[in-house]
Amino acid sequence: MADMEVDFRQYELRCELRGHDDDVRGICVCDSAGITTSSRDRTVRFWTPDPSAKHNYTSSKILLGHTSFVGPLTWISPNDEFPEGGIVSGGMDTLVLVWNLSTGEVVQTLRGHQLQVTGVVLDNEDIISSSVDCTLKRWRKGQAVESWEAHKSPVQAVIKLPSGELVSGSSDTTIKLWRGKTCSHTFVGHTDTVRSLAVMHGLGFLSASHDGSIRLWELTGEVLMEMVGHTSIVYSVDSHSSGLIISGSEDRSAKIWKDGICVQSIEHPGCVWDAKFLENGDIVTACSDGVVRLWTSNQDRVADKTELESYMSQLSQYKISRKRVGGLKLEELPGLDALQTPGTTDGQTKVVREGDSGVAYSWNLREHTWDKIGEVVDGPDDAVKSPILDGVQYDFVFDVDIGDGEPIRKLPYNRSDNPYDTADKWLLKENLPLSYRQQIVEFILQNAGQKSNPFDPSFRDPYTGASSYVPGGTSNVSGGPAKPNFKHIPKKGMLAFDGAQFDGIVKKITEFNSALLSDEDKKHICLSELEVLRLGAIIKVLKDTSHYHTSKFADVDIALLLKLLHSWPPTMIFPVIDILRMTVLHPDGAKVLQKHFKDDNDMLMETFRRVTGDNPLAPNLLTSIRLVTNLFKNSFYHSWLLKHRNEASLVLFFCCLNTTFRKYL
């Protein structure tokens, strides 16, 4: 790469290359001949400058041969064997394929790796490949001539330095410098998988890691610079002769660095799997939305106004599709045209979408207008960072080691998800046998801290018919009689009901609220739109158990729940009791709830009296028993339990509870 000055002005979109049907995973800059990209769609595409569009590229060849997603690529410069150049690609199918661009055909299939190929690089006429099977292999004329265990964990990247040595990065968090098959130095510093490596001419090499950092290393092992700015896994790093560095990340950005400082962050509508510099200083990015994009700081090559506006629209739509307001998707809110419909009662509230925000309006009956209240904000835990996979936030993103020669995979999971559904969809997506289903479910439950048996979606709620929500519990359905399960007997310690089907709870409350809304006599007690949003925020706080130590409840949150317990018909309150059952396990929720336990207005005792009155309903008794049980878990309520131990309203509960609890009274 020739030395040159690069305009350090902000980069803007140059063009978009569309053609891949799935995530674009890898990029290879083929000198001035073009750009090669690889994809989860199992193809490799070769893009050449478009003669009819000065700053664009066109897909000139589609290379078909891999049977699973394709990752690393490297360029073979034109020679006698490859007059138009060649491409080397590595895939999840464990193969290294060598392509002749003159014909678009595979000329060599290199078999030998046991697991996914993660890196390919040329060493003179040899090909060096790295793999999740922990090895590096040297291939010569289509045959493996060397193979060695480079790390004890998967090798994620390999590059060749100008001096001739190889450098490998691994999931064991280390980087190794190789002279032949001999490791001459091990670089230690990253705290998670080393995912990408790149040469930094005249200085050493760069590494990008799952720990969110990028490091510049001298060959002696000294860290010359550490760049921190990404909020998630950094998948790729590359450098330019000008000194600029580009990185791509799970956080949906490509960041440009100069002298260790991030000088620009380019937002994408998805995860940025790879990012590379062209010789002229322009940048190529590979995104999980299946689009390859070129970026330039040269105003002569910037896309026209229509293309720039189209990209900004893509970003906006992507954000809207992900943004939630009070637990609801922003895109599901009605637009401003909803304000054309008059309200029915004074003070009626309506939330509509304005741009990227949800805005609340109140109906002014006297003026016959909708008065703007203000922007609706979500729950107090909105700022909490969650893991991101392919540009989507989840409660968990697990590393799954299937074994049996399979590579480590990423498995996303939300606490509200059905683990069986999650396992089934994931196994299909990863082309893994369904025989792994139970192992995956058990893995999810163990690592998500959900120890109880998972909920089976085929179960039908005996209390409410078609809906799948069962108050506070789970159910297992099998083809024959269930075997006795004595998981909790004998029980020597405290038992708590700390699992909840939050989506089912919300669905049931929404169902009941719709029924009230359609009943003229009960319409006045239904939830307003703002209260529905508030309820969604409460559920969101309760779902995120990993941040119970920092998340907070407002008085209005608890007041809303107690209002429903007081005003809704007894047949409809069991899902609200279930939310209270989980609230008393939340440190701040329990504290705020206790404020409502006053001698002259004890809302909790009032609720218990209500559900145990004439003709008590089974769902109310079930959820109330579990609520009382959970009260024992928090010292806030010990004095309350002691005070009310002889109340007639509690007799039923304590008769149903395990004798374990008697020692607390």
Side-chain angles (χ1 to χ4, degrees), residues 49-103:
D50 188 346
S52 63
K54 186 177 178 183
H55 306 309
N56 209 336
Y57 282 74
T58 185
S59 178
S60 63
K61 285 187 173 64
I62 303 175
L63 310 181
L64 303 173
H66 283 285
T67 59
S68 187
F69 78 74
V70 194
L73 302 165
T74 197
W75 165 243
I76 302 173
S77 297
N79 56 34
D80 292 342
E81 185 178 0
F82 300 99
E84 294 182 23
I87 296 293
V88 183
S89 62
M92 172 67 90
D93 55 12
T94 76
L95 302 178
V96 177
L97 301 183
V98 181
W99 308 82
N100 187 333
L101 283 180
S102 298
T103 61

Side-chain angles (χ1 to χ4, degrees), residues 215-409:
R215 291 180 177 229
L216 172 60
W217 303 83
E218 201 172 38
L219 295 187
T220 59
E222 181 183 353
V223 178
L224 298 176
M225 198 158 50
E226 182 175 15
M227 289 152 275
V228 178
H230 284 292
T231 58
S232 190
I233 294 170
V234 186
Y235 284 123
S236 64
V237 66
D238 192 31
S239 71
H240 188 258
S241 58
S242 65
L244 289 182
I245 294 168
I246 182 71
S247 57
S249 169
E250 184 95 54
D251 65 10
R252 306 183 301 279
S253 74
K255 291 186 183 294
I256 303 169
W257 309 80
K258 182 176 184 295
D259 299 328
I261 304 298
C262 179
V263 292
Q264 186 179 356
S265 184
I266 304 175
E267 197 172 5
H268 284 66
C271 160
V272 181
W273 286 111
D274 201 2
K276 293 284 194 295
F277 278 107
L278 297 179
E279 185 173 2
N280 64 5
D282 286 1
I283 293 168
V284 189
T285 57
C287 186
S288 62
D289 67 352
V291 181
V292 181
R293 294 180 175 88
L294 275 74
W295 309 85
T296 185
S297 59
N298 187 321
Q299 288 300 306
D300 292 337
R301 295 195 291 269
V302 172
D304 62 34
K305 183 179 179 181
T306 302
E307 291 173 302
L308 294 175
E309 289 176 350
S310 173
Y311 181 68
M312 294 310 296
S313 177
Q314 291 176 51
L315 278 181
S316 178
Q317 289 300 314
Y318 180 76
K319 290 177 184 177
I320 289 174
S321 71
R322 297 181 61 255
K323 186 172 181 179
R324 290 180 175 270
V325 176
L328 297 177
K329 285 187 176 181
L330 180 65
E331 63 181 355
E332 294 175 355
L333 294 177
L336 286 170
D337 55 350
L339 300 179
Q340 301 299 317
T341 305
T344 55
T345 58
D346 191 45
Q348 177 187 346
T349 55
K350 181 173 288 189
V351 180
V352 300
R353 185 178 71 250
E354 292 187 18
D356 292 343
S357 302
V359 179
Y361 286 81
S362 175
W363 179 246
N364 186 327
L365 186 61
R366 182 176 180 180
E367 301 292 334
H368 211 65
T369 60
W370 287 101
D371 294 334
K372 187 172 183 177
I373 299 173
E375 184 176 341
V376 179
V377 295
D378 219 327
D381 66 335
D382 277 5
V384 175
K385 296 295 183 183
S386 298
I388 299 173
L389 181 65
D390 296 346
V392 179
Q393 284 189 326
Y394 295 93
D395 292 335
F396 302 96
V397 175
F398 302 122
D399 285 330
V400 183
D401 187 355
I402 297 295
D404 298 331
E406 293 289 341
I408 292 175
R409 316 287 177 88

Side-chain angles (χ1 to χ4, degrees), residues 161 163 165 167 177 185 187 203-205 217-222:
L161 298 177
S163 55
E165 297 103 323
V167 181
L177 180 67
H185 191 83
F187 301 79
L203 291 174
F205 65 89
W217 303 83
E218 201 172 38
L219 295 187
T220 59
E222 181 183 353

Side-chain angles (χ1 to χ4, degrees), residues 523-596:
K523 195 173 183 179
H524 65 285
I525 62 172
C526 70
L527 290 166
S528 68
E529 289 188 46
L530 276 179
E531 288 173 329
V532 171
L533 295 174
R534 189 70 251 158
L535 190 66
I538 293 170
I539 294 295
K540 192 172 182 182
V541 173
L542 292 174
K543 278 184 178 182
D544 193 5
T545 56
S546 62
H547 293 95
Y548 268 24
H549 61 295
T550 57
S551 56
K552 301 291 183 182
F553 276 85
D555 285 331
V556 292
D557 296 334
I558 303 302
L560 173 60
L561 298 176
L562 296 178
K563 170 191 169 183
L564 297 180
L565 290 175
H566 179 72
S567 62
W568 274 22
T571 55
M572 296 183 173
I573 63 174
F574 67 83
V576 185
I577 299 173
D578 226 5
I579 295 177
L580 272 186
R581 166 178 70 87
M582 298 303 295
T583 303
V584 300
L585 297 178
H586 186 287
D588 189 66
K591 186 177 180 180
V592 176
L593 178 61
Q594 191 192 30
K595 297 177 183 178
H596 296 268

